Amino acid sequence: MAQHIVVIGGVALGPKAACRFKRLKPGSTVTMIDQSGLISYGGCGIPYFVSGDVSEARELSTTSFHMVRDVTFFKDVKGVDVLTLTRATRIDRERKQVHVENVTTGETTVLDYDKLVIATGATPRRLGLPGEDLAGVSYVCNPDDATRIRDGIAKGEVGSAVVIGAGFIGLEMAEAFADMWGIETSVVEITDQLMPRLVSPTLAAMAQRHMEEKGVGFYFGESVRALEGENGRVKRVVTDKRTLDADAVIIAAGVVPVSELARDAGLAVHDRGGVMVDEYMRTSDPDIYSGGDCAVVKHLITGQPAFLPLGSMANRQGRVIGTNLAGGEARFPGVVGSFVVKLFETSLAGTGLSLEAALAAGYDAVSVLQVQLDRAHFYPTKELMTLEMVVDKKTRRVLGVQGFGSSGDAMVGRINAIAAILPRNPKVEDISNLEMAYAPPFASAMDVLNSLANVADNVLDGINRGVGPDGFATLWNSNGEGTCHFIDCREEADADGYVQRNPGRWHNIPQGELRQRINEVPRDRTVVLVCNTGARSYEAQIILDEQGFDDVINVQGGMAAIKKYGIEL
Amino acid sequence: MAQHIVVIGGVALGPKAACRFKRLKPGSTVTMIDQSGLISYGGCGIPYFVSGDVSEARELSTTSFHMVRDVTFFKDVKGVDVLTLTRATRIDRERKQVHVENVTTGETTVLDYDKLVIATGATPRRLGLPGEDLAGVSYVCNPDDATRIRDGIAKGEVGSAVVIGAGFIGLEMAEAFADMWGIETSVVEITDQLMPRLVSPTLAAMAQRHMEEKGVGFYFGESVRALEGENGRVKRVVTDKRTLDADAVIIAAGVVPVSELARDAGLAVHDRGGVMVDEYMRTSDPDIYSGGDCAVVKHLITGQPAFLPLGSMANRQGRVIGTNLAGGEARFPGVVGSFVVKLFETSLAGTGLSLEAALAAGYDAVSVLQVQLDRAHFYPTKELMTLEMVVDKKTRRVLGVQGFGSSGDAMVGRINAIAAILPRNPKVEDISNLEMAYAPPFASAMDVLNSLANVADNVLDGINRGVGPDGFATLWNSNGEGTCHFIDCREEADADGYVQRNPGRWHNIPQGELRQRINEVPRDRTVVLVCNTGARSYEAQIILDEQGFDDVINVQGGMAAIKKYGIEL
């Protein structure tokens, strides 16, 4: 039976659902509407267009083989009718009609549907700041905004830029400004770390330090009060603590789902916005589907509604909707929250829950840190990778893994391996045995992911008692009283400079000599053991445990983590 | 209770098990013996030492932080006693003793054990060829062999090299010779493809073509009859079809487990060699453990015994043994067979079963091919990746994924994601929804792995009826009768050259024009549709299906696969 489908929204999920449906039911018809003139573009590519990695905005709206995904393309190639500059004003569920309006002419009309897809997406969170309308202030929500920013840069109008918000888009935009154009770039963030809630303060500090080395300034725990301009153009950002020069301001304070249309039609909508859908991507009306940036889906770990506005989600969910529109029973069970962001030569990535998110969700969780080479130590392109695993103490269930490292593909590959198994409730031992493909150019014989789980196993068993670089910083900074005795377990040559710079405070006993030099270790103070990455300090801790020392701590990630974290010794 | 552990074999699993045990039971003692003078080296790094990527053989025997893992290291740092040049001659299970012999002095002695670990490893398969003992013929089994090869090269003695066997080590050695030293290099393989049984003929042909472009010659389906020399040095390799010049010959015809000691002691050993172990890595004697290259473990897909001689397996299994020696109950449930090999600028990788292996195991399986960019099409470092998924037709269970691509880390990341979920019996739909972390520098919004599963889904549903480049080659080459009508669905500019070179044979109808030009498509012949990667030819096939054409085939992977496969049009 031929059906008519109406799709509201033509950026990511809408086109995917429409095209999948048409392939399954070529005899049926689809009308896709969008309020803008531009459809089916890769919004996620905008920071890379601003940076110049992508040379033309047009590339964001083409297929892999350079066909522009415009109205004609959708008609000829996909068999989908598209109405641009057309806004849906009301859904009449009883009559199964969508009321629409041409945003240019104001002309209104009514579209009948058998099945409807709501793909209205998300919109940048407005901060309501004085000066938000000044020229040079952008939200980076579409290619037009991006073109304006790039034109401004090309004209030499931008000597300094301020990004408000240290989430994905904020960091990507900060990189774009600082890396490609040498613009003085600052990020102002209201919380006290970048990527808040998504990664630990430790990983955030490592990423921040790398970005600072590349010239990006950060102001955490600051709230923007106003944007000030001259002759209609922005010139300064005023926070509660300082005033920053700014010829360009990017407001990247997150996005909010556009779900008013659904709410007004009486569909179930989450308190904080976002259309509620089941695992078939159906709304509370079985003839209406929704997904992508305007919907909330189930988080597979917490079981709670999750809002994950990502183009990848939209594409996967769009296919499920397309199948189900055609009478199929495809499922989208939910999400674990995988993410990655490139930061200059490094990347920050994760999946599942961070420690903060796990604790907030009520888990009795702990996290462990592991710093290890991403491939065989003798292979020339090796780089250190830092991974953090969040584990439920009682059940040993892995709740999430986050990481920071140099080789982006290598990092995201590890995160994806965890993401793949995470919906199946893996235990720590499952990750210890995870069968990472091995050859020296790609992994260590004991891959960093296996080692990470082994560290978690040892920590849960109480064999490895460690702190991360943040914990080390606290011990180091509070040692005025001399309550801690720091022992560097590396070879003399590696430890020498530290001993000389910290006389009486930093001691060196190579781990291989510890059994013989046990009498040099004090029994009346907390012994803090440090090596390069935490492996030898763990072994040293075991030797001291055996010798009856009862207040010994080893530093997870060792000097590698301490340096990346930014502590000067 | 303090125990004494004896470990036979000191390369990979042995040291891991010994050290893990010592960390858990510092009061116990471990004696590790090895028949050679060199222990705990990264044998997998040998090809990279020969190539010069690793500058000194010593690096293969050091820790990440440059400590040599020798007898003193194991004593001082790990608390493990090591006897080198010591061979185990007999295990007396009743008395719980190992009889050993010093290989230099011939002196014998007896070691008592509470628990024993058999880590005797594997040995290269001997071919028994005439001339095998000539100088210049090597098995590449240890750093001494490798040093000899490299010294020969440095002295200018090697103008041509022949590698016998096109498995992992054979290909890695071929790359080492051809890439770093410009030596004329050939590979002779008895089967008709490289990496037989592990990847499909299609992926093998793509990898072969790349290696040929880099100067490696291949002779498949050939059997080596003899090695001929002059003055005691090898000079030629004689096969059943030709004679090849060779100043160096590498025999890389696989390895066989060393399990005679275990068999002689009455332990259960597999018919084709390899100590049988349970998921606790225990042999048929509960006081004796085994693992690594001398053992067989369970294949988690087929349920059959599997022999996977890889350093990564040895490390993961070694930890399990170490834990269990100390009274723990760690498990190693089995393997899915993940692998990766770097081939110049590309890599070939996989996990689970290839189509051939799946059919041999009795599955009614099919495989599908997908060629797609490994990251956003607008991101500058994008590369095409070819993936093949093997699926059981009835249950839609994913049995394996193999791939060939340019960016090694990106490839192995996808394989690892599949490897992670493979033991949990994923269906095709689970891979369609696999939550790959997304940002344009690392993935497409619909990741290549999601797309691969979507193609499999469409093929299983009968919506996508395709052949791979191998099937295309058959159709193209057998078209003397004109039974096929080839339609290039790309834009005119892309298809032009092909139409001109193949007049009357190669036709061009861009997919977007197909609805209008349907009368140009013949109804009396097999219509073969081709585009760049298979996406548009699939859409074209759907249009023809709708129009009642009943003999339409689209080419999976499209021109990209055809070119990589090496068909000239």
Side-chain angles (χ1 to χ4, degrees):
Chain A
M1 192 189 66
Q3 291 197 97
H4 184 63
I5 308 294
V6 173
V7 177
I8 306 173
V11 176
L13 179 126
K16 184 76 202 170
C19 297
R20 168 70 177 164
F21 170 75
K22 271 296 281 188
R23 284 192 290 270
L24 296 176
K25 298 285 175 194
S28 288
T29 51
V30 181
T31 302
M32 182 165 76
I33 68 171
D34 198 280
Q35 63 185 0
S36 88
L38 189 67
I39 53 169
S40 198
Y41 58 85
C44 344
I46 288 173
Y48 306 98
F49 166 67
V50 172
S51 72
D53 282 324
V54 175
S55 51
E56 290 181 58
R58 187 177 173 285
E59 295 175 55
L60 302 179
S61 303
T62 57
T63 68
S64 320
F65 296 103
H66 316 301
M67 295 180 75
V68 179
R69 296 169 62 89
D70 57 12
V71 174
T72 309
F73 170 87
F74 275 95
K75 183 66 191 166
D76 292 346
V77 174
K78 301 289 185 180
V80 170
D81 297 307
V82 181
L83 305 173
T84 56
L85 299 169
T86 300
R87 195 168 69 86
T89 53
R90 190 164 75 84
I91 298 166
D92 182 339
R93 289 165 53 199
E94 210 166 308
R95 293 200 177 79
K96 298 182 88 166
Q97 291 179 328
V98 181
H99 292 250
V100 305
E101 174 187 69
N102 183 304
V103 297
T104 318
T105 64
E107 202 180 335
T108 63
T109 180
V110 170
L111 303 173
D112 293 304
Y113 68 81
D114 293 306
K115 297 268 167 65
L116 178 68
V117 179
I118 300 176
T120 41
T123 187
R125 187 186 305 280
R126 305 271 151 177
L127 297 181
L129 296 171
E132 232 177 64
D133 297 327
L134 288 164
V137 179
S138 312
Y139 281 95
V140 206
C141 50
N142 63 47
D144 291 342
D145 287 347
T147 303
R148 217 161 20 239
I149 294 169
R150 215 166 107 165
D151 289 349
I153 294 169
K155 285 189 214 143
E157 293 171 0
V158 184
S160 57
V162 171
V163 176
I164 302 173
F168 296 98
I169 297 174
L171 296 179
E172 287 175 345
M173 287 302 299
E175 172 176 343
F177 282 124
D179 192 28
M180 304 298 288
W181 307 97
I183 295 163
E184 193 180 322
T185 307
S186 309
V187 177
V188 180
E189 162 65 39
I190 196 165
T191 75
D192 55 3
Q193 68 167 76
L194 57 76
M195 301 280 272
R197 196 83 177 239
L198 287 168
V199 300
S200 69
T202 303
L203 293 178
M206 291 180 179
Q208 174 190 339
R209 189 173 153 80
H210 179 71
M211 292 190 77
E212 285 171 346
E213 285 168 0
K214 297 288 178 179
V216 178
F218 284 92
Y219 301 99
F220 289 107
E222 294 196 21
S223 177
V224 176
R225 294 291 163 86
L227 308 178
E228 295 179 353
E230 285 167 17
N231 306 319
R233 282 203 61 81
V234 73
K235 282 288 160 200
R236 286 171 298 279
V237 173
V238 182
T239 78
D240 52 356
K241 294 187 185 152
R242 78 196 73 234
T243 296
L244 296 162
D245 286 339
D247 303 311
V249 173
I250 305 294
I251 303 179
V255 298
V256 289
V258 177
S259 49
E260 291 73 14
L261 192 69
R263 173 176 284 148
D264 292 347
L267 297 173
V269 168
H270 191 267
D271 297 344
R272 284 177 298 182
V275 185
M276 304 287 283
V277 293
D278 65 13
E279 62 178 5
Y280 299 96
M281 303 307 294
R282 267 187 320 227
T283 67
S284 53
D285 179 333
D287 290 325
I288 305 180
Y289 292 82
S290 186
D293 290 6
C294 66
V296 291
V297 289
K298 185 173 152 187
H299 197 289
L300 292 172
I301 297 178
T302 64
Q304 296 302 306
F307 174 56
L308 267 101
L310 277 170
S312 51
M313 293 291 165
N315 268 277
R316 290 188 287 256
Q317 294 170 0
R319 185 175 191 272
V320 166
I321 292 176
T323 303
N324 294 343
L325 287 170
E329 294 206 329
R331 292 162 64 249
F332 185 86
V335 298
V336 290
S338 303
F339 66 87
V340 58
V341 60
K342 176 172 121 43
L343 305 173
F344 298 92
E345 276 90 62
T346 64
S347 63
L348 189 60
T351 188
L353 306 179
S354 67
L355 181 61
E356 186 186 347
L359 296 171
Y363 290 98
D364 182 16
V366 66
S367 80
V368 300
L369 195 78
Q370 169 73 349
V371 180
Q372 191 186 301
L373 295 170
D374 56 5
R375 55 206 81 219
H377 69 269
F378 51 76
Y379 199 76
T381 60
K382 63 184 183 278
E383 296 275 1
L384 283 173
M385 184 183 283
T386 304
L387 291 174
E388 187 165 347
M389 178 180 272
V390 182
V391 186
D392 181 60
K393 284 186 201 168
K394 206 174 69 183
T395 61
R396 290 179 175 251
R397 179 177 169 193
V398 177
L399 301 171
V401 171
Q402 295 83 38
F404 173 72
S406 301
S407 173
D409 286 342
M411 168 64 76
V412 81
R414 265 72 174 194
I415 295 300
N416 286 339
I418 297 292
I421 198 177
L422 215 43
R424 311 289 182 112
N425 298 334
K427 302 277 173 73
V428 167
E429 68 195 59
D430 295 313
I431 311 304
S432 287
N433 283 330
L434 207 67
E435 195 177 320
M436 310 296 284
Y438 170 59
F442 304 110
S444 299
M446 187 68 98
D447 188 71
V448 55
L449 213 45
N450 301 131
S451 292
L452 174 70
N454 293 344
V455 173
D457 182 54
N458 293 335
V459 167
L460 290 173
D461 283 346
I463 304 167
N464 185 330
R465 293 185 310 282
V467 293
D470 49 341
F472 170 81
T474 307
L475 294 168
W476 181 250
N477 294 330
S478 68
N479 200 36
E481 308 295 316
T483 52
C484 292
H485 186 86
F486 295 90
I487 301 180
D488 190 327
C489 306
R490 298 176 297 171
E491 297 307 288
E492 207 177 310
D494 296 319
D496 242 12
Y498 296 86
V499 173
Q500 282 165 22
R501 280 198 299 281
N502 301 281
R505 203 171 169 204
W506 193 263
H507 310 86
N508 175 224
I509 307 179
Q511 187 247 318
E513 299 175 17
L514 186 58
R515 285 185 178 83
Q516 285 74 47
R517 295 171 60 182
I518 204 85
N519 56 355
E520 296 178 33
V521 184
R523 289 188 180 263
D524 58 350
R525 273 175 288 170
T526 301
V527 178
V528 182
L529 300 164
V530 186
C531 67
N532 259 316
T533 62
R536 277 174 290 175
S537 64
Y538 162 52
E539 303 225 27
Q541 177 221 296
I542 284 173
I543 293 170
L544 295 185
D545 289 349
E546 192 202 357
Q547 297 290 328
F549 289 78
D550 57 7
D551 190 8
V552 182
I553 289 170
N554 87 77
V555 179
Q556 289 172 6
M559 291 306 303
I562 288 169
K563 282 180 203 162
K564 281 176 196 287
Y565 188 79
I567 307 164
E568 302 283 339
L569 298 178
Chain B
M1 190 190 65
Q3 291 195 99
H4 183 62
I5 308 293
V6 172
V7 177
I8 306 173
V11 177
L13 179 126
K16 185 74 200 172
C19 296
R20 168 71 176 163
F21 171 76
K22 270 296 282 189
R23 283 192 289 269
L24 295 175
K25 297 287 176 193
S28 289
T29 51
V30 181
T31 302
M32 181 164 78
I33 69 170
D34 198 280
Q35 62 186 359
S36 88
L38 190 68
I39 52 169
S40 198
Y41 58 86
C44 344
I46 287 173
Y48 306 98
F49 166 66
V50 172
S51 73
D53 283 324
V54 175
S55 52
E56 290 182 57
R58 187 177 173 282
E59 294 175 55
L60 304 178
S61 304
T62 57
T63 68
S64 321
F65 295 101
H66 317 300
M67 295 181 75
V68 179
R69 296 169 63 87
D70 57 11
V71 174
T72 309
F73 169 87
F74 276 94
K75 183 67 192 168
D76 291 348
V77 174
K78 302 289 184 177
V80 170
D81 297 308
V82 181
L83 304 174
T84 57
L85 300 168
T86 301
R87 194 168 70 86
T89 54
R90 191 163 77 83
I91 298 167
D92 182 340
R93 290 165 54 199
E94 209 166 309
R95 291 199 178 80
K96 299 182 86 167
Q97 290 178 330
V98 181
H99 292 251
V100 304
E101 175 186 67
N102 182 302
V103 298
T104 318
T105 64
E107 201 180 337
T108 63
T109 179
V110 170
L111 303 173
D112 294 303
Y113 68 80
D114 293 306
K115 296 269 167 62
L116 178 67
V117 179
I118 300 176
T120 41
T123 186
R125 188 186 304 280
R126 303 273 153 177
L127 298 181
L129 295 171
E132 234 178 64
D133 297 328
L134 288 164
V137 179
S138 311
Y139 282 94
V140 207
C141 52
N142 64 47
D144 291 342
D145 287 346
T147 302
R148 215 159 23 237
I149 295 169
R150 214 165 109 164
D151 288 350
I153 294 168
K155 285 188 214 144
E157 293 170 359
V158 183
S160 58
V162 171
V163 176
I164 302 172
F168 296 97
I169 297 174
L171 296 179
E172 287 175 345
M173 286 302 299
E175 171 176 343
F177 282 124
D179 191 28
M180 303 298 288
W181 307 97
I183 294 162
E184 193 181 322
T185 307
S186 309
V187 177
V188 179
E189 162 65 39
I190 195 165
T191 75
D192 54 4
Q193 68 166 78
L194 56 76
M195 300 280 272
R197 197 82 177 239
L198 287 168
V199 300
S200 69
T202 303
L203 293 177
M206 291 180 178
Q208 175 189 338
R209 189 174 153 80
H210 179 72
M211 292 190 78
E212 285 170 347
E213 285 168 2
K214 296 289 179 178
V216 178
F218 284 92
Y219 301 98
F220 288 108
E222 294 196 22
S223 175
V224 176
R225 293 292 162 85
L227 309 178
E228 295 178 353
E230 286 167 17
N231 305 320
R233 280 203 63 80
V234 75
K235 281 288 160 202
R236 285 172 299 279
V237 173
V238 182
T239 78
D240 51 358
K241 293 187 186 153
R242 77 197 75 232
T243 296
L244 296 162
D245 285 340
D247 302 312
V249 173
I250 305 293
I251 303 178
V255 298
V256 289
V258 177
S259 49
E260 291 73 14
L261 193 69
R263 174 175 284 150
D264 293 346
L267 297 174
V269 169
H270 192 265
D271 297 344
R272 285 177 296 182
V275 185
M276 305 287 285
V277 293
D278 65 13
E279 63 178 5
Y280 299 96
M281 302 306 296
R282 266 186 322 225
T283 66
S284 52
D285 179 332
D287 289 327
I288 305 181
Y289 292 82
S290 185
D293 290 5
C294 66
V296 290
V297 290
K298 185 172 150 189
H299 197 289
L300 292 172
I301 297 178
T302 64
Q304 297 301 308
F307 174 56
L308 268 102
L310 277 171
S312 51
M313 293 289 164
N315 268 277
R316 291 187 285 255
Q317 295 169 0
R319 185 173 192 273
V320 166
I321 292 177
T323 303
N324 294 343
L325 287 170
E329 294 206 330
R331 292 162 63 247
F332 185 85
V335 298
V336 290
S338 303
F339 66 86
V340 58
V341 58
K342 176 172 122 42
L343 305 174
F344 297 93
E345 277 90 61
T346 64
S347 63
L348 189 61
T351 188
L353 305 179
S354 67
L355 181 60
E356 186 187 345
L359 295 172
Y363 288 99
D364 183 16
V366 67
S367 81
V368 299
L369 195 79
Q370 168 74 348
V371 179
Q372 191 186 300
L373 294 170
D374 57 4
R375 55 205 82 220
H377 69 269
F378 52 76
Y379 198 77
T381 60
K382 63 184 183 281
E383 296 275 1
L384 283 172
M385 184 182 285
T386 304
L387 289 176
E388 189 166 346
M389 177 179 274
V390 182
V391 186
D392 181 58
K393 285 186 200 168
K394 206 174 68 183
T395 60
R396 291 179 173 250
R397 179 177 168 193
V398 177
L399 301 172
V401 172
Q402 295 82 39
F404 173 72
S406 302
S407 173
D409 285 343
M411 167 64 74
V412 80
R414 266 72 175 193
I415 294 300
N416 286 339
I418 297 293
I421 196 177
L422 215 43
R424 311 288 182 112
N425 298 334
K427 301 278 173 74
V428 167
E429 68 195 59
D430 294 314
I431 311 304
S432 287
N433 284 330
L434 207 68
E435 196 176 320
M436 309 297 284
Y438 171 59
F442 304 111
S444 299
M446 187 69 97
D447 187 72
V448 55
L449 213 45
N450 302 131
S451 293
L452 174 69
N454 294 344
V455 172
D457 183 52
N458 293 336
V459 168
L460 290 174
D461 284 346
I463 304 168
N464 185 331
R465 292 184 311 282
V467 293
D470 49 341
F472 170 81
T474 307
L475 294 169
W476 181 251
N477 294 329
S478 68
N479 201 37
E481 309 294 317
T483 52
C484 291
H485 187 87
F486 295 91
I487 300 180
D488 190 327
C489 307
R490 297 176 298 171
E491 296 307 287
E492 206 177 311
D494 295 320
D496 243 11
Y498 295 87
V499 173
Q500 283 165 23
R501 281 197 299 283
N502 301 281
R505 204 171 170 204
W506 193 263
H507 309 86
N508 176 223
I509 306 179
Q511 187 246 319
E513 300 174 17
L514 186 57
R515 285 186 178 82
Q516 285 73 48
R517 295 171 61 182
I518 203 87
N519 55 355
E520 296 177 34
V521 184
R523 289 186 181 263
D524 58 349
R525 275 175 286 170
T526 302
V527 178
V528 182
L529 300 164
V530 185
C531 67
N532 259 318
T533 61
R536 277 174 289 173
S537 64
Y538 162 52
E539 303 224 26
Q541 178 220 295
I542 284 172
I543 292 170
L544 295 185
D545 290 350
E546 192 202 359
Q547 297 292 326
F549 289 78
D550 57 7
D551 191 7
V552 182
I553 290 169
N554 87 76
V555 180
Q556 289 173 5
M559 292 305 303
I562 289 170
K563 282 180 204 163
K564 281 177 195 288
Y565 189 76
I567 307 166
E568 302 284 339
L569 299 179

